[in-house]
Amino acid sequence: MSSASPTLPLPGDPPGGRRAARVWGIGVAVYFVAIIFRTSLGVAGLDAADRFDVNASALSTFSILQLLVYAGMQIPVGLMVDRLGTKKVLTIGVVLFTVGQLGFALSPSYGMALAARALLGCGDAMTFISVLRLGSRWFPARRGPLIGQVAALFGMAGNLVSTLFIARALHSYGWTTTFVGSSLAGVVVLVLLLLFLKDHPEGHEPPPAEHAGAAYVRRQIAAAWREPGTRLGMWVHFTTQFPAMVFLLLWGMPFLVEAQELSRGTAGTLLTLVVLSNMVVGLVYGQIIARHQEARTPIALGTVATTALLWASAILYPADHTPMWLLIVLCLVLGACGPASMVGFDFARPANPPERQGTASGIVNMGGFIASMTTLLAVGVLLDATDDNYRVAFASIFVLEALGVAQILRLRRRAARREREHHVVSRVEAVHVPA
């Protein structure tokens, strides 16, 4: 039996179409703004260190706390989306991350700035899972891989805004004006969300949610975790996402400016190259996986292997500075990390029924952010301990990659066997759907 996506519609498959694209586009716009706010620190790291007079470990705490809140919120958010629907959860998220960005702009102290980033991380945590759920409610299941990659592509466009415009605005207008001005984007998407977003098309209402309570929560989490596809998806996300996240979110700019002695403009161009590569690779990966489900594991493992090879080549290059051509290749390869992490959702999606998609996506999404948070902390601590030796600090990435690859290899056959069982059942049900 071919492992390509089924051509028969699944029971209750939504129709898609232009209206679906418009509604889903509003959710994507919210995610776009959340990514701008999330990654704005990546280009402002050196400015933040000067503004709050902190060392590398304290600077990394900004991103670590933000990601700690984000990762810790994933399962609760998944449950909220399954229970409350997309619109309510996204509304809460927009309010929180907008207030967080505004608070970061106006914080007079390191402690208050930390609290603002935590609030931002809480709101940010509510966006991506909601957008995935929105896509699954408005588009046919066979479009899932491509829809997920396109959503991630628009997220990376938000990262591009950070590297191109936030960095320049900081230089031209200063800290407060830049961050206050950017927070207005949150107000715009909040208005669009309240006016135009709908959870699902008419005639495709989800079944009534069960009575909320501790027992229901435990059942949802346990049922999602029991599926090998959910666990495999989490480890794929864990292993693939974090090298690029660490580079873009905080440590790329200091590494390029301080260790490689590049100008901020050149460093910003390299960060932009990561984002552009991500956008191109995301479309390619989405098209391949939508047509050939068997390509998921090779894409994930191939991306990890290539990233590890280029990362090792860059930090172990036998000279004081890594040549520009190698930095360019490294940034192009790092651009594949985000799209590869989306493969994790493509393992979890067919393993779980619609009423459990939010919970399963939350479990998967925890993976990469736990890895990113751990590595951000390790790099900051090692930089302080080794007098800013980036070669030693960045070597910590290989430890987590090795752990993740071991888990992927352990779970892949079990998940494939279980997915074939689900696939057969879905085809049988589709054949018997009444006209």
Side-chain angles (χ1 to χ4, degrees):
M1 180 183 295
S2 170
S3 55
S5 298
T7 56
L8 287 170
L10 296 177
D13 235 8
R18 292 184 179 179
R19 185 178 178 224
R22 288 194 297 268
V23 174
W24 178 73
I26 296 170
V28 170
V30 173
Y31 179 56
F32 171 80
V33 173
I35 293 295
I36 294 175
F37 292 0
R38 180 200 299 174
T39 58
S40 57
L41 182 61
V43 296
L46 297 175
D47 300 87
D50 292 339
R51 179 179 176 86
F52 300 111
D53 191 24
V54 293
N55 61 14
S57 296
L59 180 61
S60 67
T61 303
F62 277 124
S63 295
I64 291 166
L65 178 62
Q66 182 179 336
L67 293 185
L68 178 64
V69 173
Y70 187 104
M73 287 289 293
Q74 288 310 292
I75 291 179
V77 168
L79 291 164
M80 287 172 64
V81 171
D82 287 337
R83 174 73 181 169
L84 302 177
T86 301
K87 185 169 185 175
K88 291 179 181 178
V89 176
L90 276 181
T91 301
I92 296 169
V94 173
V95 172
L96 290 177
F97 70 58
T98 302
V99 172
Q101 183 79 342
L102 184 61
F104 193 59
L106 303 176
S107 295
S109 67
Y110 175 69
M112 291 186 67
L114 275 178
R117 293 307 286 188
L119 193 63
L120 192 156
C122 187
D124 182 17
M126 298 182 180
T127 59
F128 189 62
I129 293 175
S130 297
V131 172
L132 289 179
R133 171 62 174 262
L134 193 66
S136 70
R137 288 297 185 192
W138 281 91
F139 292 95
R142 67 183 182 276
R143 301 291 186 191
L146 184 58
I147 290 299
Q149 290 288 359
V150 171
L153 184 151
F154 279 97
M156 291 309 296
N159 202 328
L160 191 62
V161 170
S162 292
T163 57
L164 289 178
F165 298 107
I166 299 291
R168 287 183 172 86
L170 279 167
H171 178 73
S172 301
Y173 304 111
W175 180 279
T176 302
T177 301
T178 297
F179 281 101
V180 169
S182 67
S183 67
L184 296 177
V187 178
V188 173
V189 293
L190 178 60
V191 173
L192 292 175
L193 166 66
L194 293 174
L195 291 178
F196 301 113
L197 191 134
K198 290 191 65 174
D199 283 348
H200 48 74
E202 291 79 4
H204 291 270
E205 293 80 2
E210 299 181 35
H211 178 69
Y216 167 75
V217 170
R218 285 195 299 268
R219 285 196 303 272
Q220 283 285 91
I221 296 172
W225 182 257
R226 275 197 301 269
E227 293 291 343
T230 304
R231 300 198 303 276
L232 176 60
M234 186 195 73
W235 283 108
V236 166
H237 200 269
F238 177 100
T239 313
T240 53
Q241 187 204 46
F242 78 96
M245 180 71 73
V246 168
F247 199 78
L248 288 172
L249 199 59
L250 184 61
W251 291 121
M253 181 69 79
F255 166 70
L256 296 171
V257 172
E258 296 178 349
Q260 302 302 318
E261 298 184 356
L262 301 177
S263 68
R264 285 201 181 197
T266 302
T269 300
L270 288 173
L271 294 180
T272 303
L273 186 60
V274 178
V275 177
L276 293 175
S277 172
N278 183 296
M279 296 170 74
V280 173
V281 173
L283 288 176
V284 174
Y285 280 8
Q287 292 283 0
I288 292 173
I289 294 170
R291 290 172 170 79
H292 306 285
Q293 292 284 290
E294 70 274 11
R296 291 172 298 177
T297 301
I299 281 176
L301 292 177
T303 301
V304 172
T306 308
T307 302
L309 176 64
L310 267 297
W311 197 275
S313 300
I315 65 174
L316 299 177
Y317 193 83
D320 290 339
H321 300 114
T322 305
M324 179 58 72
W325 68 265
L326 185 52
L327 291 175
I328 290 173
V329 175
L330 172 64
C331 289
L332 288 172
V333 170
L334 285 176
C337 291
S341 72
M342 294 298 299
V343 175
F345 297 101
D346 295 324
F347 282 111
R349 188 183 299 109
N352 292 274
E355 64 271 15
R356 212 166 58 221
Q357 288 292 323
T359 305
S361 296
I363 293 173
V364 172
N365 213 26
M366 284 178 62
F369 288 93
I370 290 173
S372 298
M373 178 179 59
T374 303
T375 308
L376 284 167
L377 176 61
V379 170
V381 170
L382 288 170
L383 284 174
D384 286 338
T386 60
D387 194 24
D388 292 338
N389 187 327
Y390 279 90
R391 291 184 174 183
V392 174
F394 277 7
S396 60
I397 283 177
F398 303 120
V399 177
L400 272 72
E401 284 188 326
L403 171 63
V405 168
Q407 295 298 320
I408 292 171
L409 295 176
R410 182 178 70 86
L411 288 165
R412 61 176 180 165
R413 287 189 178 86
R414 195 182 312 171
R417 184 167 56 250
R418 180 69 168 158
E419 186 171 315
R420 282 194 296 270
E421 296 171 1
H422 284 304
H423 183 66
V424 171
V425 171
S426 296
R427 278 187 172 272
V428 171
E429 290 178 348
V431 169
H432 290 90
V433 171

